[in-house]
């Protein structure tokens, strides 16, 4: 028999590269843009000034702390405790959606969806096939919208808020006041959707979903790790509001997890951090190309909210925030625009892909139906919130 011919080394490398690009499309695009821009502006000493170390340090610290708490099952147990109080389909939906809406304000939209969407399928499975069939797609869609809109209230709710909050120089109270009207409107819309979905619903028998309320077998949370991460979360918040130096928070989080919970460090989204670095380089270089920077400033001027919403639809709201922030001083408008811009297409907020992947895994035959529902719901929410923005702008 003839021996099988081995594929050339370069074929294997190309396959791995293609796989990496598929998995990290945003990082790959950001890296390409950074490299291309370097041909226009060759690397020099000014490159170091592009990097916003404060944003990177706080973002790393928050992601590490959230990874530690999630690894200990803190958010999962919180959800189980709340669900134990439900007695109707409406209460169940409100809790599942509320966990994403309010949780995302503090644990970020990504972590909220990573935690509570899989948990939702556990809950629905315990209530029977008919309940799962009726509620799975709309509830996951509502959770995705809830996570993306609840997270807009706080600087730590999502990465672009943390970055823009740092650039704006705003106080915490001013940031909350800026986004509160949109957050309250979103909450009212979600509550109305839940009521409509559960109209005529029958009560859920106590104990019908018992298995998902009980602690998981083999769970042994480390109270010391939980206490450490809770304390470090407060340290991170103090760094966000500029009470503590961000370097001190970064050093405390890194040292504590190196000593006590190295596994949490492995769960940090380093690709997001590298995406920020690549975009910082790209934006910094664009700012040194007068013809392009002048043109972009003219396009954005006075249209920050609408341009941010539109840019988010094709790049997602984090890259849109990073890109546009280099060419306008109206950071408040960018905060509104990039948060509302998380609605719309499936990639407008990369967190939405978390839910879509879960649907594709749990309900593969219905992922097309979910995509239609997701798109319609997002466009409806976006239209209402942009209408609210128009009214508030007119009143001011």
């Amino acid at each position: 028999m003839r021996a099988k011919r081995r594929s050339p080394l370069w074929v294997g490398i190309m396959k791995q590269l293609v796989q990496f690009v598929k998995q990290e499309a945003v990082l790959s695009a950001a890296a390409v843009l950074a490299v291309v821009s370097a041909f226009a502006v060759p690397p020099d000493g000014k490159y170091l000034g592009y990097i916003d170390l404060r944003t990177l340090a706080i973002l790393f610290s928050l992601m590490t702390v959230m990874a530690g708490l999630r690894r200990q099952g803190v958010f999962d147990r919180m959800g189980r405790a709340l669900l134990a109080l439900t007695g109707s389909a409406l209460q169940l939906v409100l809790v599942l959606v509320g966990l994403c809406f309010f949780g995302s304000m503090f644990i970020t939209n990504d972590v909220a969806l990573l935690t509570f969407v899989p948990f939702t399928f556990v809950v629905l499975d315990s209530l029977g096939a008919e309940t799962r069939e009726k509620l799975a797609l709309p509830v996951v869609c509502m959770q995705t919208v809830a996570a993306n809109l609840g997270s807009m209230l706080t600087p730590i709710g999502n990465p672009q808020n943390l970055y823009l909050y740092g650039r704006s120089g705003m106080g915490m109270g001013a940031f909350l006041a800026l986004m509160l009207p949109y957050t309250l409107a979103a909450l009212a819309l979600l509550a109305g959707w839940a009521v409509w979905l559960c109209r005529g619903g029958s009560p859920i028998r106590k104990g019908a979903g018992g298995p998902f309320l009980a602690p998981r077998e083999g769970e042994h949370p480390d109270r010391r790790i939980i206490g450490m991460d809770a304390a470090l979360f407060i340290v991170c918040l103090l760094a966000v509001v500029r009470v503590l130096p961000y370097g001190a928070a970064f050093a405390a989080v890194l040292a504590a997890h190196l000593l006590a919970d190295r596994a949490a460090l492995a769960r940090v989204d380093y690709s997001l951090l590298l995406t920020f670095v690549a975009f910082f380089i790209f934006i910094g270089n664009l700012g040194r190309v007068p013809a392009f920077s002048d043109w972009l400033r003219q396009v954005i001027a006075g249209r920050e909210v609408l341009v941010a919403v539109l840019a988010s639809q094709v790049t997602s709201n984090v890259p849109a925030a990073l890109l546009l922030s280099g060419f306008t001083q109206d950071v408040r408008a960018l905060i509104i625009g990039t948060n509302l811009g998380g609605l719309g297409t499936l990639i407008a907020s990369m967190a939405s892909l978390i839910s879509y992947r879960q649907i594709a895994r749990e309900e593969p035959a219905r992922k097309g139906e979910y995509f239609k529902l997701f798109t319609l719901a997002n466009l409806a929410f976006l239209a209402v919130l942009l209408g609210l923005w128009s009214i508030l702008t007119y009143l001011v």
Side-chain angles (χ1 to χ4, degrees), residues 33-362:
L33 291 173
V35 171
V36 170
S37 70
F39 285 98
V41 182
D44 56 24
K46 293 183 179 180
Y47 269 51
L48 292 177
Y50 297 163
I51 310 301
D52 187 339
L53 294 178
R54 181 180 188 275
T55 296
L56 294 177
I58 296 177
L59 186 57
F60 168 84
S61 301
L62 285 169
M63 287 194 295
T64 304
V65 169
M66 290 302 112
L69 291 173
R70 184 167 179 262
R71 205 173 74 84
Q72 297 300 322
V74 171
F75 312 126
D76 185 74
R77 288 196 299 278
M78 178 179 66
R80 292 165 189 253
L82 288 173
L83 282 173
L85 305 175
T86 63
S88 69
L90 177 58
Q91 291 175 355
L92 175 71
V93 170
L94 288 175
V95 167
L96 291 174
V97 175
L99 284 169
C100 289
F101 186 81
F102 294 104
S104 65
M105 298 176 183
F106 305 99
I107 66 176
T108 75
N109 52 353
D110 297 73
V111 174
L113 292 174
L114 282 169
T115 302
F116 298 123
V117 171
F119 177 58
T120 295
F121 281 102
V122 175
V123 172
L124 296 180
D125 282 341
S126 70
L127 297 176
E130 184 178 350
T131 300
R132 171 170 170 146
E133 176 76 16
K134 176 185 177 183
L135 296 180
L137 299 192
V139 168
V140 172
C141 186
M142 293 169 70
Q143 287 180 308
T144 307
V145 173
N148 286 329
L149 293 181
S151 64
M152 68 182 173
L153 180 64
T154 65
I156 63 172
N158 49 56
Q160 84 268 5
N161 273 4
L162 181 62
Y163 168 67
L164 293 174
Y165 175 74
R167 282 187 62 91
S168 70
M170 300 168 64
M172 179 66 77
F175 189 98
L176 296 176
L178 177 66
M179 298 310 302
L180 184 60
Y182 306 99
T183 306
L184 293 177
L187 181 60
L189 290 172
L190 287 166
W193 188 1
V195 171
W196 179 83
L197 177 66
C198 299
R199 62 195 184 284
S202 58
I204 295 176
R205 298 191 317 274
K206 286 292 182 182
F212 71 75
L213 298 177
R216 291 179 179 173
E217 185 177 352
E219 278 188 346
H220 299 289
D222 190 326
R223 295 183 181 275
R224 294 175 301 173
I225 298 296
I226 294 173
M228 177 190 78
D229 280 323
L232 289 172
F233 180 63
I234 295 174
V235 170
C236 291
L237 290 181
L238 292 175
V240 170
V241 297
R242 304 179 183 88
V243 172
L244 288 179
Y246 68 84
F250 171 81
V253 170
L254 180 60
H257 285 87
L258 282 174
L259 292 172
D261 189 15
R262 294 187 180 183
L265 292 170
R267 298 192 177 192
V268 171
D269 187 357
Y270 293 103
S271 67
L272 178 61
L273 297 174
L274 291 174
T275 299
F276 267 76
V277 172
F279 268 110
F280 286 146
I281 293 173
F282 175 60
I283 296 162
N285 284 339
L286 286 185
R288 294 169 65 184
V289 180
F292 183 85
S293 59
D294 291 344
W295 171 80
L296 192 53
R297 286 190 179 94
Q298 291 177 3
V299 171
I300 298 172
R303 310 180 189 91
E304 285 83 0
V305 171
L306 294 178
V307 171
V309 169
L310 291 174
S312 297
Q313 304 310 302
V314 293
T315 66
S316 87
N317 52 3
V318 173
L322 295 174
L323 174 61
L324 300 178
S325 65
F327 303 96
T328 179
Q329 298 301 313
D330 193 351
V331 181
R332 292 169 63 91
L334 283 186
I335 292 170
I336 296 172
T338 53
N339 277 293
L340 299 190
L343 297 167
T345 64
L346 188 61
I347 64 168
S349 170
M350 297 306 290
S352 300
L353 293 174
I354 295 170
S355 302
Y356 182 75
R357 292 192 188 106
Q358 191 68 26
I359 286 289
R361 184 180 300 115
E362 294 283 347

